[in-house]
Amino acid sequence: MQKEFAEKPNTAAARPEPAADERVLAAERLRARQAAEEKKRRLIRRIVSAVLILVFVPSVILVGLLEWHDRQFYIVSMLIIALSMVPFFFMFEKRRPRARELTLIAVMVALGVAGRAAFYMLPHFKPIAAIVIITGVSLGSEAGFITGALTAFVSNMFFGQGPWTPWQMFALGLIGFLSGILFNDQITTKLKLFLLCAYGAFVTVGIYGQIVDTQVVFSSAQNVTWEMFLAVYASGLPVNLVFASATVLFLLLLTKPLLNKLGRIKKKHGVFR
Amino acid sequence: MRDAFDTVNPIVAFVFFAFALIMPMLVMHPVLLGISLACALAWLFILRGKRAWGYILKFALPVMLLTAVMNPLFNHAGVTILFYLRHNPITLESIVYGVASAGMLASVVLWFACFNAIFTSDKIVYLLGRFAPSLSLVLSMALRFVPLFSHQAKRIAQAQRGAGMGTRGGSILARARNGLSILSSLITWALESSVTTADSMRSRGYGLHPRRSFANYRFDGRDALVGGLLALGMLCTALASYFKLIGIRFFPSYKANEATPLFIAFCVIYALTLLIPVMMNSIEAYRWHLLRSRI
């Protein structure tokens, strides 16, 4: 890719001046090739990130569990969670995102945080997960992960950081990432909306709830037992169900208008395509 | 008044917090946990005054109680069986471990309370800006957007009220509908203005330079002194753990080091390291006292 960029002007200059329509054709061909390359690169990036999340992270967790199975559960699990976020952030930094992408992600993060603050009187009834899911659906899995993780981090800057921060960041990021993989932004039929809501309910209970509750288990036990997990999950279930119902409600309300608005911005300004 | 530790270089401050937070999790020795808890409490009271009680009652105590109760109920390891609860043995070791992990969690929570007071957003952006420029930019923009959006939401609501579509009057359904339309125009405005912001950034040369942050912290003599003391404390900790001074075992039977002179010396060093912020504050207060008494 880089090499072609460098060579193209040289060869053009060396040759005698071509006719005008020929130059237009050449430019078009170049553009088409660039588009194809861009598409290929995006595909590769998607595969790499999918491999990272589906292979790298579980293997890190597995190694951690096998190597340190009876020592320092808490700190090791926290380190694993924090480290498993590094590849995502690294890849995001590495591709040097455009200013428009950054500001758009910042807006979605701020909406999530403001949503958490706006519903302060209803504990655990927050639109955070819904906004992260919609972001993942519309802007892609990478933006979904970044938005989810940063929403958790920034909202904890208002509500207090703690040992739970990395867990929440990872859980919300994962939700955004998966929604970007599983759905595209054509949520047109009622069936698709229903599927999205079902997905939202499932991930808030099954992923967010479990990950954050796991932190509670690890925080208090040296010999983690299955009964302990069950007890903590059972006691966390009501909270998770409230969060899930909030997510479903906000998905029903927000999916269509937000996807419309984001789609319009994407089309009008040519970002995240 | 500004805390004396607040002006320390963020890198040094970050290392201090990392040390203070990781130590209780790594070494759950009751004496060291007590020291850590006491140092965190002392600093928290300097930082927050009476509001520190809120942190203790709201965050630390529930976590402590939950852990201290839950552990003996679910963890039946240990050789000293005290009694049976529905055929499940309750052991002395698991009770001791529960209390120790309660102390660990409480000290982590209290150190995080101090962290929240010291690590304001500009410091986090400063720290992140070096190796994650895009992320720290998103972070600082999101932090700025939150108050901006709530301000804009108020303006939209005022305009809507002027047009007779406020959220104050009418049936609940109408009010909810008007509220949603305020939200809708807020989101559209936010998305559009984000693109304007991005264009403005681009035309001012975003991405041409390496990232610089608003707050510029120098690394001065005092930072070197604090950093050196901190490094000394960490070196002593590493040595102590290498020579198995601070080992502890809970299961199958509880075994901690005896109070040898070396262990006591280490405890003093550990306490002094964790008390750096408190000492800085008292030195500052003493200096202020001297200055005032001279007038």
Side-chain angles (χ1 to χ4, degrees):
Chain A
M1 184 75 204
Q2 287 291 334
K3 211 173 165 194
E4 267 187 35
F5 256 119
E7 273 173 15
K8 203 72 194 172
N10 287 345
T11 49
R15 256 183 283 151
E17 191 71 14
D21 53 341
E22 208 175 302
R23 256 185 308 179
V24 171
L25 273 178
E28 258 174 21
R29 242 178 287 139
L30 180 66
R31 211 169 298 144
R33 203 181 316 146
Q34 275 176 354
E37 295 248 356
E38 175 66 32
K39 213 171 178 183
K40 210 163 107 194
R41 252 194 326 177
R42 210 176 300 155
L43 185 72
I44 290 172
R45 213 172 57 220
R46 197 172 241 197
I47 292 171
V48 168
S49 53
V51 167
L52 276 179
I53 182 94
L54 296 175
V55 178
F56 177 77
V57 175
S59 57
V60 167
I61 291 173
L62 201 69
V63 167
L65 287 180
L66 291 179
E67 280 291 307
W68 293 285
H69 57 105
D70 60 344
R71 286 180 288 160
Q72 327 292 8
F73 254 124
Y74 197 34
I75 183 132
V76 167
S77 59
M78 209 146 104
L79 280 181
I80 289 170
I81 286 289
L83 279 182
S84 57
M85 281 184 286
V86 167
F88 294 98
F89 292 142
F90 182 73
M91 281 179 54
F92 182 68
E93 286 292 341
K94 188 89 194 217
R95 76 180 176 95
R96 311 197 82 217
R98 294 161 59 199
R100 281 179 179 181
E101 297 175 338
L102 293 182
T103 48
L104 213 53
I105 290 177
V107 165
M108 298 316 287
V109 171
L111 283 179
V113 176
R116 183 173 171 188
F119 287 88
Y120 70 94
M121 63 294 204
L122 301 173
H124 309 295
F125 195 84
K126 314 283 178 206
I128 286 193
I131 287 179
V132 169
I133 289 171
I134 294 172
T135 310
V137 167
S138 177
L139 306 184
S141 49
E142 189 190 33
F145 186 90
I146 300 288
T147 306
L150 284 185
T151 306
F153 186 69
V154 173
S155 71
N156 279 346
M157 283 173 89
F158 288 95
F159 299 98
Q161 307 276 10
W164 49 80
T165 302
W167 300 81
Q168 290 179 342
M169 284 174 73
F170 182 74
L172 265 185
L174 192 61
I175 288 177
F177 184 82
L178 287 181
S179 65
I181 285 189
L182 294 176
F183 296 93
N184 59 10
D185 61 349
Q186 303 299 317
I187 308 280
T188 41
T189 57
K190 284 222 168 93
L191 177 70
K192 280 183 179 169
L193 186 62
F194 172 76
L195 281 179
L196 190 71
C197 290
Y199 165 80
F202 172 73
V203 292
T204 39
V205 175
I207 293 183
Y208 186 85
Q210 301 301 44
I211 289 180
V212 174
D213 288 346
T214 305
Q215 180 255 331
V216 177
V217 176
F218 281 153
S219 71
S220 56
Q222 195 173 33
N223 296 21
V224 175
T225 55
W226 288 113
E227 299 99 72
M228 207 143 178
F229 271 106
L230 281 181
V232 170
Y233 289 155
S235 65
L237 198 62
V239 166
N240 292 336
L241 285 181
V242 171
F243 189 37
S245 58
T247 304
V248 169
L249 181 71
F250 283 113
L251 276 178
L252 280 176
L253 278 176
L254 293 176
T255 302
K256 226 175 152 195
L258 251 183
L259 281 185
N260 266 342
K261 288 177 205 295
L262 283 170
R264 179 174 160 280
I265 291 286
K266 283 197 296 185
K267 210 170 201 174
K268 180 176 171 191
H269 299 290
V271 280
F272 284 114
R273 289 207 295 172
Chain B
M1 200 188 81
R2 211 170 165 196
D3 191 83
F5 199 74
D6 197 21
T7 50
V8 166
N9 190 295
I11 299 173
V12 177
F14 185 77
V15 174
F16 175 81
F17 277 112
F19 176 70
L21 281 168
I22 289 176
M23 266 307 280
M25 295 192 226
L26 272 183
V27 186
M28 286 174 55
H29 196 292
V31 178
L32 298 183
L33 286 178
I35 291 172
S36 174
L37 207 56
C39 296
L41 269 181
W43 193 19
L44 193 63
F45 272 103
I46 291 176
L47 279 170
R48 297 284 187 192
K50 274 184 191 152
R51 274 189 299 161
W53 285 112
Y55 276 96
I56 297 167
L57 294 177
K58 228 168 83 185
F59 292 114
L61 268 187
V63 174
M64 282 176 86
L65 282 180
L66 182 76
T67 315
V69 171
M70 211 169 82
N71 210 67
L73 285 184
F74 287 99
N75 191 349
H76 309 301
V79 288
T80 322
I81 294 168
L82 294 181
F83 56 93
Y84 282 87
L85 193 76
R86 284 196 204 158
H87 310 296
N88 282 325
I90 302 294
T91 63
L92 178 68
E93 282 80 10
S94 67
I95 290 178
V96 171
Y97 183 77
V99 171
S101 59
M104 180 270 276
L105 276 182
S107 69
V108 167
V109 166
L110 290 179
W111 279 115
F112 258 116
C114 298
F115 177 90
N116 284 334
I118 293 296
F119 261 81
T120 44
S121 56
D122 61 322
K123 282 188 191 168
I124 291 177
V125 169
Y126 172 83
L127 271 182
L128 270 179
R130 303 176 162 224
F131 52 92
S134 307
L135 281 175
S136 75
L137 183 68
V138 174
L139 200 69
S140 61
M141 275 197 294
L143 282 168
R144 196 271 168 276
F145 281 157
V146 173
L148 183 72
F149 288 178
S150 61
H151 179 71
Q152 182 71 15
K154 268 179 216 141
R155 285 175 57 182
I156 296 171
Q158 262 175 359
Q160 297 276 52
R161 204 183 312 148
M165 296 189 287
T167 49
R168 298 252 172 99
S171 66
I172 289 182
L173 205 66
R175 275 194 249 176
R177 204 181 300 128
N178 292 342
L180 277 180
S181 80
I182 291 173
L183 187 69
S184 164
S185 40
L186 173 70
I187 291 172
T188 307
W189 174 85
L191 292 174
E192 276 294 335
S193 75
S194 84
V195 175
T196 318
T197 312
D199 288 348
S200 165
M201 279 162 57
R202 238 175 71 100
S203 49
R204 282 156 211 232
Y206 164 75
L208 296 179
H209 297 282
R211 190 69 204 296
R212 287 165 298 197
S213 65
F214 163 72
N216 201 5
Y217 294 92
R218 288 183 305 127
F219 195 86
D220 56 16
R222 197 190 45 161
D223 294 328
L225 183 68
V226 173
L229 287 177
L230 189 58
L232 209 63
M234 286 162 81
L235 184 71
C236 288
T237 312
L239 284 177
S241 87
Y242 181 75
F243 291 112
K244 307 228 179 333
L245 260 184
I246 48 175
I248 183 153
R249 192 185 71 195
F250 287 98
F251 302 106
S253 62
Y254 175 79
K255 187 176 178 307
N257 287 81
E258 276 126 51
T260 56
L262 261 178
F263 178 71
I264 293 170
F266 172 71
C267 286
V268 172
I269 293 173
Y270 184 61
L272 285 179
T273 315
L274 289 184
L275 279 176
I276 287 176
V278 176
M279 289 191 291
M280 283 173 72
N281 272 308
S282 19
I283 290 171
E284 204 80 343
Y286 180 66
R287 201 179 280 159
W288 177 238
H289 176 73
L290 277 188
L291 283 173
R292 276 197 16 180
S293 55
R294 228 174 264 161
I295 297 172

